[in-house]
Amino acid sequence: VSRRARSAASGLALLVCLVSVARGASAAAPAASTWHLEPAHAELDARAALASHGTFCTAPGSPLSPGARELCPLAGELEGCDALVKACHEGELDWNASWVQLLAVIARVLVWVMAAVAIGGVLVGLALLVRRMRQDGALRESVRGDAAPREGPASQRYALATTDAELLLRHAADHATAGRLDAALFAYLGAALSALDHRGAIRLARHTTNGEYLRSCREDAARPPLRALVRDVDRVQFGGVPPSAELVVDARARALAVVRGAGNEPGAAVRAATMALLVVMLGGCGWNPMRGGDDPAGNELLVDVLEGQGADVSELATSLVKLPAAEAGDAIVVVDTERTALDDETRAHLMRWVEAGGELVLAGRIGEWPADLGAKAAEGEGREVLFVSPVATGGSRTLHGKLASGAAMTWPSGGVPDLATASLDTGELYASVRAVGDGRVLAIASRDLLTNVGLAAPGNASMLVALLAALEPPGKPPVRAFRIARAEQGVSPPSNPLAALVRVGLGPALAQGLVFALVLFAAVGTRQSRPTPEGPPRRRAFAEHVEATGALYARTRAAGHALAAYARYADERLRAKMPRGSDPASFLALRSGADPDRTAALYARAMAARADDPKRGDELAMLRELSGLFAAATRATPSRGQRP
Amino acid sequence: MSPEQFALTFELVKKEMAKAVVGQADVVDGVLVALLARGHALIEGAPGLGKTLVVRALAAASGCSFKRIQFTPDLMPSDVTGSSVFDRQTTAFTFIAGPIFAELLLADEINRAPAKTQSALLEAMQDRQVTVDGTSRALPHPFSVIATQNPIESQGTYPLPEAQLDRFLVKLTVLDPPREVEERIVRNHADGFDPTDLSRLQAVVSPAVIGEMQDAVQAIRADDAIISYIVDLVRRTRDDRSIELGASPRASIGLLKGAQVIAASQGRSFVTPDDVKPMASAVLRHRVMLHPDAQLQGVTADDRIAEILRSVPVPRVAA
């Protein structure tokens, strides 16, 4: 340990002793007197806190956040903060660099993949659960049916009402203990098959034989014990071999090897990889590389300073929009709008809460403040701050502070006097305490006084405490509690989980997940459905009947029958169209424009055809010719049904 | 003969046949099952796929007497069974035995003969005897007919009547061999293999041993649950909407016999559902007549049998 480090350590220890003595003295006083906002104590508290929580000074997180970087001008004002000064001089991360952009794209893709995997996993899990419940339900029903006394083979009597392999193992053990050795054997086989089915190595089905399970098993390690198990069970079930205790013991060992020895389970590696990926992803999402107190823009010193004043300081427990109606003695709420973004609903509620008697410390970005407050951001020139209190008396006490940059505001009084103010050395208003309705507001134009670096700067802690002292309403019980709003508490909470997902930008993913679920259900969901009786067969179209009939004729070589049937069909249609008393053949020739003699011969031959006529070989040719004439005569193209 | 000895002998015959037959494992198994179950086999396939070679190889490996009849449109029943011829010296009719008097009969291209000639085999296949001129003559033991036929769509063929088809225990379908098998076949021929000369095949068993194996098959145990399963399968063919005519009880018997041979060939003394299912298609496919609508839709008997196998639960413990 170097000499310089030893001296620094002893100096810090001395400071801690001084602060302890001071706090001990104050603690010894009556409780009502502990709440004396003493600027002088605040300075000591700030120094002690710098010693205990000064990591932001000696080893700040790197690179500095944009908020912390804005506070860099104050770093030079602090003693022993060389590391912070050095960090301030380091180059800022170029957020537009190509590799940063690439990382951002990768991160987005990974997030989407994770979301898709999560949704898919849930849906698949649900589908499997439903499937298993249906299987179990069916088995239970079958068992209830078997409960009635009836005779049947052993395999039927010992049907088991579960698909849980471990439960089946216990059933088997119970059977073995009770001396039902054949039932024990069957249960052990059932346990093995159930476990394999659960792991996806086989697929249980009523029509699948044990040998088929064995051959289709995807787990190499499970095959030898399953083969032996199947052999023994088959010997008992089909071979007439009486079950023995030795068989049951062997079966138990083999079933256990299958059920619990899932060493080469293909899903194991996938699961391990998924878990590793999840851990990495969750680490990337939730792991904060900034250690406690090493953020220059953090608020650890604020907490220490306020606690040094005897106050109870903690984070706000509820959302700002749900702050209950203020009562005397309630906590002062501290809101840094650089850190806690406010939405419109929260701003409105915050104003109502203050007007009802709440006490609020508002700092940070002025544009985020409630508009009804009337404060506007203004250009500030200087960095020195001058505190004057009380305003009404023209100032009996003045304090000096230092800011990182000039920040000022305008806050029209509207006839309401300022209870205390702090102004820049150039005259612009920096902070003001004012009554608003029944409550009071301490408005500070920047967040400097609430940050670690800001409070570590000489004079700033006492100035903050002096401003807070002005917030104390006269004649009311002293407020001893401060509640600091967290980053997410400025936004009204969603009304339901769906709204939460939509608000964080997962609405499209949710919609896609629902569409995916619908598609998945349409694709495979019907497999899980209960089989229903088939409806009556669809009636065939006439053309299909004709095609089937034609194909039958062709197969049976019944060309004569086909010609006869078609001739009668054509004759019937022609007689429906032609004038009464005329000759169908003449009508056919006239309408089709064919040779009358040829048509008459063809028609006569076709009408005379019989199914049992000896084959002449030209029946199909005649049928085709007659079909053509008929189509021409009826001025219609031959339909599929009219083709021979 | 014990099931273990049966399995060893079965493998021995198969191994010997494999010296001449490359691939076609299903057909080899099928003809062996038919022979050992005291049944007959019908092999269907396009020309040139080795149907005849399988039968000749079986004859050579089993040591059974072998006759071959090439069925043609002008073949007469007496050409199959034999006939009585008048002997002038003895002035009496003498029976000249036909080729059917052999332990293994190859009825090559059986569907090229008309139904009358095909029917000459009916009595022989069912009763293992032939009746000529009122005299019944017993056929040798063992006796098995292995017929081959080209697909029914080929020209110049006569479809086998249902009664004839039902006599065949199994109908085996020969498919085109995979590429690597075909390359091995061609390589064998390039190396001098002559399919007409099977002299290098040895008779690894004798007809007597075949008879012992047939007796051993009868002793294979079939549990009631197995019999019930077989009957369920066959009866389901009669209820199927795509099947106009289902399989007969003879099919149930054939399925049981085939399963018994399969069980014995694996050294088991009892039948399991795993022995029944592989035999179902071979035993049932020629015994079911599809509905014309189903035929028009391209449904095959094998498709329906596979569906029936999927619809009938096997007798085992529910898990």
Side-chain angles (χ1 to χ4, degrees), chain A residues 321 342-350 352 368 370 490-492:
Chain A
V321 81
L342 307 179
D343 63 6
D344 292 341
E345 189 179 349
T346 306
R347 287 191 199 102
H349 180 77
L350 213 49
R352 287 195 297 273
E368 293 282 324
V491 180
S492 54

Side-chain angles (χ1 to χ4, degrees), chain A residues 139 155 158 160 186 190 205-213 215 234-235 237-240 534 537 540 548 551 555, chain B residues 221 223 225-226 229 241 270-274 277 292-293 295-297 309-319:
Chain A
L139 284 171
S155 59
Y158 298 126
L160 298 166
F186 299 148
R206 295 169 64 213
H207 62 81
T208 308
T209 65
N210 293 337
E212 287 169 332
Y213 287 139
R215 289 188 288 276
D234 280 352
R235 282 173 61 199
Q237 189 176 5
F238 303 118
E534 286 186 12
R540 292 185 173 281
R555 200 166 56 249
Chain B
R221 181 179 191 277
D223 191 76
I226 295 295
Y229 179 55
R241 286 170 47 198
F270 56 89
V271 179
T272 69
D274 273 312
K277 286 182 90 170
D293 278 354
Q295 288 185 38
L296 287 172
Q297 289 166 3
L309 285 173
R310 280 194 291 271
S311 67
V312 178
V314 297
R316 62 172 172 73
V317 65

